Amino acid sequence: MVIILNHGFVPSEALLTSFKNFQIQYKSYNTGYVSYIYVLPQRENKTLEAWLSYFQKEHFSEIKEVLWNEKTPAIVSKIDKEKRIRVGDIEIGGQQKCIIAGPCCIESYDQMEQIALSLSTSGINFLRGGAYKPSTSPYSFHGLGEEGLKILQSVALKYRLKTVTEVLDPRDVEKVASYADILQIGTRNMQNFSLLHEVGQSKCPVILKRGMSATYEEWLLAAEHIAAYGNENIILCERGIRTFESGTRNTLDLLAIPYMKKRVSLPIIIDPSHAAGVSEYIPAMARAAIAAGADGLMIETHHDPASSYKDSKQALSLNEFNRLMHDLNTMNLSAFFM
Ligand code: PEP
Ligand code: MN
């Protein structure tokens, strides 16, 4: 059993005395945002029940919630339905769809400039690009680091775009947040708890990608880790999961959209690029995601896909991306959102 205290409360003397009086063993924690008390398994259940009814009455004002199951995403499941994530004048999770596009990696100023010049005329809100790249192989390109962040920031400013970029290491969170408008947590880090806690302490909105083998429950609990450390500006991102299917890089689980909409008020966006692994399937999945109610899309785009340092097969060319944006704009979305 877990007792979560209201924001700003730490266990009072009176509260701890009631634990002692009933000989209830516990361990208390403070995330810096919420305090919670883990009630250690008790031998006598009857004592616990009597104690709990007394305890809840006596300490009502301090307690936010008593969880019988610690695997409850208590904070994220209570986020207000009307809550929107605001980045400048962009609102994520409302009527407007958020479109994030750009290359897998930031390669050079010229590369980002050519891409942003075209994307900025096609109606996107966010320019993406990785400066710190997670790689399965230790010998791959790992990104330009801070130099890449500087390129992303200056090109985005020039074209009046907001930015999204991945952070890999808890030690880099503050630095990356000082350049970017949204932090991205990649699939390989969905359960990197120290990273989740660090972005939880940041004010910067976070895109939390689903772990490639994570269940919905694990994904929501990862979001809870961020929220429990103080940051409720979380955007879920489905990017394809591992299944037995080997025809595509991953399997895009669009059911995640209605499922998450039912469970939580967090916005959910779809990344069809890392799901498909090849560019030709991306437009169909992007249209399907919007039709299914996604709050936005993240799509890898490159001015010369064949020369992309990473994920070159899945990058849409600028023309292909423009065509997709045109198709999305002509979809009669009102039919789907009634
Ligand atoms: C990316 O967005 O380039 C990326 C590495 O994504 P994922 O974590 O989904 O593989
Ligand atoms: Mn990529």
Side-chain angles (χ1 to χ4, degrees), residues 10-210:
V10 289
S12 64
E13 266 312 306
L15 190 144
L16 297 181
T17 308
S18 76
F19 276 82
K20 287 190 192 105
N21 289 346
F22 281 88
Q23 294 178 324
I24 301 292
Q25 291 187 304
Y26 66 92
K27 175 97 182 90
S28 91
Y29 300 91
N30 188 335
T31 68
Y33 181 68
V34 282
S35 287
Y36 67 97
I37 302 168
Y38 182 84
V39 178
L40 299 173
Q42 314 290 315
R43 254 183 279 137
E44 273 276 347
N45 254 344
K46 282 217 165 62
T47 318
L48 185 62
E49 275 167 32
W51 167 78
L52 188 66
S53 61
Y54 163 83
F55 174 85
Q56 278 185 299
K57 258 185 249 138
E58 288 292 305
H59 304 284
F60 186 71
S61 62
E62 271 176 86
I63 300 170
K64 181 183 173 78
E65 214 165 345
V66 175
L67 306 177
W68 288 97
N69 177 359
E70 71 216 44
K71 293 189 176 153
T72 305
I75 301 175
V76 295
S77 57
K78 293 234 164 64
I79 291 176
D80 186 355
K81 281 240 171 307
E82 297 308 312
K83 180 180 159 68
R84 303 284 177 262
I85 297 175
R86 287 197 173 76
V87 179
D89 56 3
I90 305 164
E91 215 180 59
I92 306 168
Q95 286 293 100
Q96 194 185 10
K97 302 289 159 197
C98 129
I99 309 289
I100 304 164
C104 185
C105 316
I106 299 158
E107 298 164 10
S108 67
Y109 188 92
D110 282 354
Q111 170 235 21
M112 291 306 286
E113 152 88 12
Q114 284 193 62
I115 295 171
L117 170 66
S118 166
L119 293 183
S120 64
T121 61
S122 62
I124 70 157
N125 323 98
F126 290 91
L127 181 64
R128 65 149 281 157
Y132 297 92
K133 293 303 302 177
S135 292
T136 303
S137 164
Y139 311 120
S140 301
F141 178 64
H142 279 86
L144 297 179
E146 193 165 1
E147 184 195 336
L149 295 175
K150 288 183 178 154
I151 295 173
L152 179 68
Q153 188 186 46
S154 66
V155 171
L157 269 176
K158 178 166 173 190
Y159 292 99
R160 296 169 176 274
L161 295 168
K162 299 292 180 190
T163 57
V164 175
T165 196
E166 179 163 357
V167 59
L168 282 184
D169 188 320
R171 292 166 296 188
D172 290 334
V173 169
E174 218 178 299
K175 177 172 61 191
V176 178
S178 74
Y179 289 101
D181 297 298
I182 299 185
L183 300 172
Q184 174 178 320
I185 296 198
T187 191
R188 293 160 187 82
N189 272 318
M190 190 204 81
Q191 284 188 318
N192 179 340
F193 300 112
S194 10
L195 183 62
L196 300 179
H197 297 170
E198 202 61 40
V199 299
Q201 289 168 66
S202 158
K203 296 269 171 288
C204 196
V206 188
I207 290 178
L208 177 64
K209 285 196 161 192
R210 179 182 185 179

Side-chain angles (χ1 to χ4, degrees), residues 234-245:
I234 306 161
I235 301 151
L236 300 171
C237 177
E238 157 67 31
R239 48 76 72 199
I241 51 171
R242 286 233 162 121
T243 66
F244 54 82
E245 183 53 68

Side-chain angles (χ1 to χ4, degrees), residues 107 302-310 312:
E107 298 164 10
H302 200 284
H303 66 290
D304 177 18
S307 77
S308 175
Y309 289 8
K310 267 176 143 8
S312 58

